[in-house]
Amino acid sequence: MTEECIDHLGPVRILDWRVTVEEGVVLDYGEEGGPGSRVDAAFCYRAGPYCEPEEA
């Protein structure tokens, strides 16, 4: 948030996160240098809610 100059807004609250994954994308699930896996067909999913923790 600091990079976007919006750190003064406080914790982020996302109620509904909608994601579209396109055909042919390579997912590595955060494994640096991992082999990854190519997606054969596009798909969508939803996640949430997500709340950033309050600073102590």
Side-chain angles (χ1 to χ4, degrees), residues 14-49:
I14 300 171
L15 300 179
D16 188 27
W17 200 317
R18 299 175 190 184
V19 179
T20 300
V21 179
E22 297 180 357
E23 178 182 346
V25 73
V26 177
L27 301 176
D28 67 6
Y29 302 102
E31 297 174 17
E32 189 173 332
S37 59
R38 186 171 298 279
V39 175
D40 294 329
F43 65 93
C44 297
Y45 68 92
R46 296 168 86 163

